[in-house]
Amino acid sequence: MERRMSAQQLVLRQRAELVRALCCGGSSEGLESILDLLLSWGALVWEDYLNVCVAGKTLCSRTRELLDLAYSKGESTCCLLLAALSHVLPDAQKDNLRFGKCSNIQNSLEMPTSATLTLLSDRPDLVTQLRNCVEGALGILVEKGFITSSECEEIQLPVYTSSQQVRRLLDLVKCKGEVAAEVLLQFSKRIQKTVVPPNKNDTFTMSASVAEYQKKLCSSISAQSHFLSTYSDTGKFSLDDIYTEGLLELGQTSTQKSLNLEDVVGPVGTLNMEADTVLVSGEAGSGKSTFLQRLHLLWARKTVLHNYLLLFPFSCRKLNTEQQDLSLKELLFLHCCWPDRDQDQLFQFILDHPHLVLFTFDGLDEFKQTFSDDQRHCCPTQPAPMPVLFFNLMQGSLMKGVRKLVTSRTEAVPPILRQYLRKEVLLKGFSPDGIDCFVRKHHSDPGVASHVLESLWSNTALLGLCHIPVFCWIVSKCYKELLGFGNSGPQTITDVYLMVLQHFFHHRISKGNRLGKGWVQQHFDTIMRLGKLALQALENSHYIFSETEVQNGGVTEEDISKGFLIQSKNISFDGIHYEFLHVTMQSFFAALFIILDSNSNNHHTIKRLFQTPRPEGCLGILQAKKYDGPSTENPNLQITSTFVSGLLSKRHQSLLLQCHPIQTLNKKRKQVVKCVSRGMQNHFKSIPRPVKGEKKSMHAMPGFVWLIKCIYEMQDSEVAKNVVATLEVEHLKLTYCNIGPLECTALAFVLQHLQSPVGLQLDSNSVGDVGVEQLLPCLHVCHSLYLRNNNISDEGIAKLVEKGIQCQTFKKIALFNNKLTDVCTQHFAYLLKTKQNFLSLRLGNNNITAAGAEQLAEGLRCCQSLQFLGLWGNNIGDKGAEALSHALEDSRTLVWLSLEAHAGCQVENIKPTKTSATLTRASDETYPSGRKWSWQCRSTGPCQSNS
């Protein structure tokens, strides 16, 4: 029986998890706060601290250095380290970590005997007290001659956060002697008596002019947000009538906790307390803009976000058009809402009460300039170029304390910006219930809605697409065309956009005329004019067009009347401005132009679209900017390349042949196949050689998923087969890669042609039940399937098991932290009875009770192959554990079993019954294989046995 782990063992066994927890947000604040505590508790001496904080080391290196140091110092230091971790880490990151009895350790050091020692013992409190008063502390120390003005400037470099500035100050004063330390401590005591914590007991008087402006701002935002604006000119849908909630989850955590709208800007999931910027990320069409529009509308009605008196909404697409230098004051009032009077008084109120203000920025991925922190700008009244103003708002140099909510495509967020994020929230589109809700809201006729939903559920590939709201809208909009497909509906993104193209052309022709099979040729000129405008703009991250730009591009009034190009509602300047119906529509027209244009330069355009330079060894694969082609510089060009692949599918040749020669189409198709194949080979060649005794594995980057999707769009099995013919790995890892049902469909299409079985790891994605079904075609080449944190329910498991028992190579599955109940154990019991080569079943942290354990025990009695069984984090109780022990009495293969309980779950304290005695006896028997049965039963109380 496994004894309770020591603190040293906990640090050692959780090493990878601890490094991930302290480094996942990109901010060093967590590590530095832990060092503060360890110094104050005497766990580290000053030399230890300096060794960990050597300049030039990465955050991960410093974290590992600390873990090594604590482990080498022994049990007591490890215990203090775990206590510090428990104190500092947010709740979302502590869910899957164990701290033993160390989480409530109190400081037992004697009172310090000198001022410099007090700086160490009180260091965590001093960092908190002084971070808003660094300038005042420095002023006194300079005045008294303890530090120089150059030392003062070095501490206040804008690269450091306020907390880091305090730490550098404390480090410097410690070296200046007792008197300097006493002066700083006296200053701390004075400000401790006068400083009121922000947001607590914060009293202010809202003048009549502020109240009047708030009322005008609410009225303006409410008017702008009343109708759905994401798919403009598609019918006047009231946002209240059509809005359907998407799945919101925290990024950078191992748990999948659903969030509500208030949680997004609230404290839940905060990783970096020093930062002000919250990122809401998701793929194109996932509903980010509509989510912000809903938030704006509810704030204007005063039903949510009551802590924010003023909200300023910005569009990055609109900010792109700003050519003049602006001050912050001009930005707020020109781009949002102009005050009727008392501008200076209003602006001063904003400066004095930043925690009462919320800025929102929609579409960071559409901002032209790459994020940079080279040029600092801290003055709110001094004009600056828009990129400088925007970037300094994001990183907090300007308007520190104002909460900023930013939406962006996930892959478009540069690493340099992530270090300034308070937290990241993932918008994952619709759940299956959300799809049902949206379609029914879109169609007033219940019969039509039911027909559309029946068509979706009979076409799982299309259903997978509809988890992305923009595709769900297209399907609902083009329901007549969809129902006309019968049983063979659209399979790819390209199919869906060709369907919407046909729909718009059909509805713009005069009555009595029909749209024939040659409809692309019929509207060729319109397609080419809009396509040329779209491509030229995309290459320059340009999304809004003046009337002059449209006319210069040759676009006619008739072209505009088709409905793809609409008047922009984002521009408040003089004159008419246009934008495409959706950014994905702009990408689609750009792809059409690339395919249908006879200009020889398109050869170079295609090459640029699919350019994927080869990484330099195992380090090169980490250089995302170098590797991921168009996605990092301009994510919309990546979508364009996907459409180019789809349009060159042989299935669409007959449609395009009417206006383009077969020889040219084939030439372009061969070029795309060559580019995609080369990109995949670059991935394969970057796989490092395995360490002796380990499996050869490949951790795929987002660019890999993009190439897989391009291959799927082409719908050519030969291409897929040739591409993976040389892939020789035993383990393919795609964790945190935004894999949804659509990506699962593409993965299965390609991976089913692998020459040898692999372990497919898809942990922490958005696979869901629909995604599980889409993966089934490649299950026969998977010896292991890892689907932790993927919102999978019993329904998905039923289909997985049904297919799995037919696949000889399928032997392992991990489903930690999903939505499984006792129902799934019926299916797994059947699998265990049927597959006598199944090796590993891990179902931790689900909702399985004693009834499920008893059901599973029936399958275990018949299974003569299972080696690993994980059920920890469930609620099986004594009764369920006893059923499992009886089922396992005669097992000659099981080597690992885990039944750890939920934290605080008292029902699973396994008492000294036959259960524990049986398991103990089994663990003492050495099997012919030379392995022992390792029994793990970790719960809130000690697991005792009769032995």
Side-chain angles (χ1 to χ4, degrees):
M1 180 179 297
E2 182 183 75
R3 296 179 179 177
R4 184 180 297 277
M5 286 190 190
S6 66
Q8 271 187 302
Q9 289 174 315
L10 287 172
V11 170
L12 183 62
R13 294 201 179 188
Q14 299 181 114
R15 179 183 175 88
E17 291 81 1
L18 294 175
V19 171
R20 190 180 303 118
L22 286 173
C23 301
C24 66
S27 167
S28 61
E29 180 61 28
L31 175 63
E32 291 172 1
S33 297
I34 287 168
L35 289 170
D36 294 341
L37 287 169
L38 294 177
L39 279 172
S40 72
W41 292 341
L44 299 182
V45 297
W46 189 247
E47 289 73 18
D48 295 332
Y49 170 74
L50 294 177
N51 286 336
V52 173
C53 296
V54 172
K57 284 187 178 180
T58 65
L59 177 58
C60 289
S61 296
R62 284 181 285 155
T63 302
R64 293 188 181 98
E65 182 89 22
L66 175 60
L67 296 178
D68 292 342
L69 181 62
Y71 187 81
S72 66
K73 281 177 168 285
E75 179 69 12
S76 60
T77 303
C78 286
C79 205
L80 290 170
L81 172 63
L82 291 171
L85 285 159
S86 178
H87 181 78
V88 169
L89 290 177
D91 290 340
Q93 289 182 302
K94 291 193 290 188
D95 286 347
N96 300 305
L97 294 174
R98 299 172 61 209
F99 302 98
K101 292 183 177 180
C102 305
S103 57
N104 295 316
I105 285 180
Q106 300 295 323
N107 182 8
S108 58
L109 289 178
E110 297 179 0
M111 290 292 291
T113 56
S114 67
T116 50
L117 289 177
T118 303
L119 290 183
L120 288 180
S121 64
D122 293 355
R123 186 179 177 95
D125 293 333
L126 288 170
V127 170
T128 303
Q129 292 165 13
L130 296 174
R131 62 185 174 195
N132 294 318
C133 313
V134 177
E135 195 169 344
L138 289 169
I140 287 179
L141 290 167
V142 170
E143 181 184 335
K144 294 187 178 289
F146 292 115
I147 63 174
T148 65
S149 57
S150 62
E151 288 173 326
C152 180
E153 290 173 1
E154 189 174 341
I155 286 173
Q156 287 187 293
L157 287 172
V159 70
Y160 302 121
T161 66
S162 56
S163 293
Q164 289 172 329
Q165 290 177 2
V166 176
R167 292 185 182 103
R168 292 177 68 82
L169 173 61
L170 294 175
D171 296 348
L172 180 63
V173 171
K174 182 182 181 297
C175 302
K176 298 289 184 178
E178 281 293 304
V179 181
E182 287 175 1
V183 169
L184 184 59
L185 290 171
Q186 288 171 4
F187 175 79
S188 173
K189 289 177 182 177
R190 283 204 309 274
I191 61 131
Q192 196 173 359
K193 296 177 181 177
T194 58
V195 171
V196 179
N199 292 328
K200 293 182 180 179
N201 304 321
D202 185 17
T203 58
F204 62 91
T205 303
M206 187 163 66
S207 65
S209 59
V210 175
E212 180 183 317
Y213 182 70
Q214 184 198 42
K215 184 177 180 181
K216 181 178 181 180
L217 189 61
C218 288
S219 176
S220 173
I221 291 175
S222 179
Q224 294 172 22
S225 307
H226 183 73
F227 292 105
L228 179 68
S229 63
T230 311
Y231 318 117
S232 306
D233 206 38
T234 59
K236 290 290 184 179
F237 282 113
S238 165
L239 193 63
D240 290 326
D241 294 337
I242 195 65
Y243 183 76
T244 304
E245 290 186 357
L247 294 170
L248 286 166
E249 293 176 0
L250 289 171
Q252 307 286 355
T253 64
S254 58
T255 57
Q256 291 197 315
K257 179 182 178 182
S258 295
L259 305 179
N260 59 38
L261 191 144
E262 293 267 13
D263 291 333
V264 172
V265 292
V268 177
T270 298
L271 296 176
N272 184 358
M273 295 295 292
E274 291 287 334
D276 300 319
T277 301
V278 175
L279 172 68
V280 176
S281 63
E283 57 186 300
S286 59
K288 300 181 294 295
S289 298
T290 307
F291 163 78
L292 266 192
Q293 188 183 349
R294 182 64 172 172
L295 181 144
H296 295 159
L297 181 61
L298 295 180
W299 175 84
R301 292 174 177 172
K302 299 185 178 180
T303 57
V304 298
L305 306 179
H306 300 108
N307 293 335
Y308 298 101
L309 291 183
L310 300 174
L311 185 153
F312 293 93
F314 298 97
S315 162
C316 292
R317 183 177 288 193
K318 179 180 176 181
L319 296 181
N320 268 339
T321 65
E322 185 58 69
Q323 302 298 319
Q324 298 180 345
D325 289 4
L326 295 178
S327 67
L328 177 65
K329 178 180 175 183
E330 292 168 328
L331 175 69
L332 296 180
F333 296 154
L334 281 175
H335 278 259
C336 292
C337 181
W338 186 264
D340 295 326
R341 61 189 179 95
D342 299 331
Q343 290 183 26
D344 292 338
Q345 182 182 343
L346 279 169
F347 190 60
Q348 191 59 49
F349 177 85
I350 293 168
L351 296 178
D352 292 342
H353 304 282
H355 59 281
L356 300 177
V357 181
L358 175 65
F359 293 169
T360 66
F361 295 90
D362 187 28
L364 173 66
D365 49 280
E366 295 183 359
F367 204 72
K368 285 182 181 179
Q369 285 76 11
T370 303
F371 187 89
S372 168
D373 62 355
D374 293 339
Q375 190 172 350
R376 296 290 178 173
H377 180 77
C378 305
C379 180
T381 57
Q382 181 180 344
M386 182 55 64
V388 174
L389 204 62
F390 177 65
F391 297 152
N392 280 274
L393 280 170
M394 291 299 97
Q395 62 198 16
S397 300
L398 190 61
M399 289 306 292
K400 180 69 177 173
V402 169
R403 190 62 46 82
K404 297 102 181 177
L405 182 60
V406 186
T407 67
S408 176
R409 210 82 59 77
T410 308
E411 67 273 14
V413 182
I416 194 171
L417 174 58
R418 290 190 178 276
Q419 64 183 309
Y420 299 110
L421 294 182
R422 187 176 183 86
K423 63 179 173 182
E424 181 177 2
V425 175
L426 307 178
L427 183 55
K428 297 190 170 184
F430 290 152
S431 65
D433 289 341
I435 295 173
D436 187 286
C437 179
F438 181 86
V439 171
R440 293 190 185 281
K441 283 184 174 183
H442 195 278
H443 296 284
S444 56
D445 185 340
V448 172
S450 296
H451 281 308
V452 172
L453 288 169
E454 286 172 12
S455 183
L456 285 180
W457 286 106
S458 65
N459 182 344
T460 54
L462 185 58
L463 182 64
L465 286 173
C466 286
H467 281 72
I468 302 173
V470 67
F471 298 144
C472 201
W473 166 77
I474 290 174
V475 167
S476 297
K477 181 76 177 174
C478 309
Y479 72 94
K480 289 183 179 178
E481 287 82 358
L482 174 68
L483 297 177
F485 276 103
N487 294 328
S488 58
Q491 299 291 311
T492 67
I493 299 174
T494 309
D495 294 347
V496 170
Y497 276 76
L498 282 171
M499 182 175 71
V500 77
L501 196 69
Q502 184 179 4
H503 169 86
F504 272 71
F505 283 139
H506 175 76
H507 283 264
R508 295 305 191 276
I509 61 176
S510 57
K511 290 184 178 181
N513 293 331
R514 293 186 61 186
L515 200 65
K517 292 183 178 181
W519 60 271
V520 172
Q521 185 180 26
Q522 185 180 347
H523 298 279
F524 179 79
D525 292 338
T526 295
I527 291 172
M528 295 302 288
R529 287 189 288 264
L530 291 176
K532 185 177 182 180
L533 180 72
L535 179 61
Q536 291 176 345
L538 276 181
E539 290 177 331
N540 297 292
S541 298
H542 192 48
Y543 304 97
I544 295 180
F545 316 96
S546 68
E547 195 169 18
T548 302
E549 287 174 316
V550 170
Q551 290 172 353
N552 290 343
V555 178
T556 66
E557 287 294 332
E558 184 181 355
D559 297 336
I560 295 173
S561 70
K562 304 299 182 187
F564 302 109
L565 204 61
I566 58 173
Q567 284 194 26
S568 173
K569 297 180 176 65
N570 286 319
I571 293 295
S572 55
F573 308 127
D574 294 334
I576 298 173
H577 287 73
Y578 295 93
E579 60 188 341
F580 279 88
L581 190 61
H582 191 265
V583 67
T584 53
M585 190 65 73
Q586 184 173 347
S587 295
F588 183 62
F589 269 98
L592 280 167
F593 180 80
I594 292 170
I595 298 301
L596 297 177
D597 184 32
S598 56
N599 193 320
S600 59
N601 285 334
N602 275 338
H603 171 80
H604 300 290
T605 303
I606 291 175
K607 189 175 180 180
R608 284 202 314 273
L609 276 181
F610 291 92
Q611 192 170 8
T612 53
R614 179 178 175 178
E616 300 292 337
C618 61
L619 291 178
I621 199 167
L622 300 177
Q623 300 170 355
K625 185 173 181 179
K626 182 179 180 183
Y627 191 74
D628 285 343
S631 64
T632 52
E633 295 298 331
N634 188 333
N636 293 314
L637 286 178
Q638 188 185 56
I639 301 173
T640 304
S641 61
T642 308
F643 282 133
V644 166
S645 303
L647 288 168
L648 289 170
S649 167
K650 292 179 180 178
R651 299 185 308 143
H652 300 311
Q653 270 194 358
S654 59
L655 186 65
L656 303 180
L657 275 177
Q658 301 156 11
C659 42
H660 210 59
I662 183 68
Q663 295 84 357
T664 309
L665 286 176
N666 286 338
K667 184 177 179 181
K668 291 178 179 179
R669 186 175 185 279
K670 287 178 181 178
Q671 186 185 4
V672 169
V673 171
K674 183 178 179 181
C675 290
V676 171
S677 299
R678 184 183 294 123
M680 293 291 280
Q681 292 305 315
N682 286 344
H683 273 281
F684 300 159
K685 291 175 183 177
S686 70
I687 302 172
R689 292 182 178 181
V691 178
K692 187 177 181 180
E694 293 187 1
K695 295 178 179 179
K696 187 177 182 181
S697 62
M698 170 182 167
H699 193 158
M701 301 299 283
F704 175 81
V705 180
W706 159 58
L707 290 170
I708 290 282
K709 288 165 73 173
C710 289
I711 296 169
Y712 173 69
E713 288 293 315
M714 299 189 80
Q715 289 289 290
D716 191 326
S717 297
E718 281 301 312
V719 173
K721 187 182 297 184
N722 293 334
V723 160
V724 298
T726 58
L727 177 59
E728 297 178 358
V729 293
E730 295 177 77
H731 191 85
L732 183 57
K733 188 175 182 181
L734 293 105
T735 56
Y736 293 103
C737 283
N738 296 313
I739 304 293
L742 170 60
E743 289 74 22
C744 289
T745 308
L747 278 170
F749 180 81
V750 176
L751 297 183
Q752 64 181 320
H753 299 292
L754 285 170
Q755 301 296 308
S756 55
V758 297
L760 181 58
Q761 187 169 352
L762 296 170
D763 298 336
S764 300
N765 284 294
S766 308
V767 173
D769 292 339
V770 177
V772 167
E773 189 171 358
Q774 296 306 100
L775 287 172
L776 298 184
C778 72
L779 195 60
H780 67 282
V781 294
C782 297
H783 58 66
S784 310
L785 189 58
Y786 303 88
L787 292 168
R788 305 174 182 97
N789 305 311
N790 269 294
N791 282 317
I792 297 168
S793 74
D794 303 322
E795 183 180 349
I797 296 305
K799 295 172 181 175
L800 179 65
V801 170
E802 183 182 359
K803 177 69 173 180
I805 59 176
Q806 303 169 22
C807 302
Q808 181 65 22
T809 57
F810 179 54
K811 299 177 181 178
K812 298 179 182 179
I813 190 163
L815 290 157
F816 165 84
N817 198 40
N818 280 286
K819 297 180 178 179
L820 307 183
T821 70
D822 293 337
V823 175
C824 81
T825 59
Q826 301 173 18
H827 306 298
F828 284 122
Y830 177 64
L831 181 143
L832 293 172
K833 292 176 184 178
T834 309
K835 275 185 71 68
Q836 290 305 315
N837 66 342
F838 203 74
L839 302 177
S840 178
L841 178 62
R842 298 174 189 257
L843 304 174
N845 209 36
N846 282 287
N847 302 298
I848 298 171
T849 68
E854 291 172 341
Q855 185 75 46
L856 202 59
E858 292 184 17
L860 290 171
R861 289 190 186 93
C862 304
C863 184
Q864 300 302 317
S865 60
L866 196 70
Q867 296 178 2
F868 301 91
L869 178 60
L871 287 166
W872 69 273
N874 287 287
N875 296 289
I876 66 170
D878 289 349
K879 186 177 179 183
E882 188 166 358
L884 291 173
S885 72
H886 287 310
L888 295 169
E889 279 181 320
D890 297 324
S891 174
R892 309 291 295 180
T893 58
L894 196 69
V895 295
W896 183 88
L897 170 66
S898 177
L899 299 176
E900 182 182 10
H902 280 301
C905 179
Q906 298 297 329
V907 301
E908 229 184 329
N909 289 340
I910 300 180
K911 302 175 179 63
T913 63
K914 182 180 178 183
T915 305
S916 53
T918 300
L919 293 170
T920 304
R921 183 171 65 250
S923 68
D924 291 335
E925 181 177 352
T926 303
Y927 294 109
S929 63
R931 291 174 293 187
K932 278 194 173 184
W933 186 358
S934 173
W935 156 238
Q936 298 184 26
C937 174
R938 299 184 295 273
S939 63
T940 53
C943 178
Q944 303 170 352
S945 85
N946 290 333
S947 57

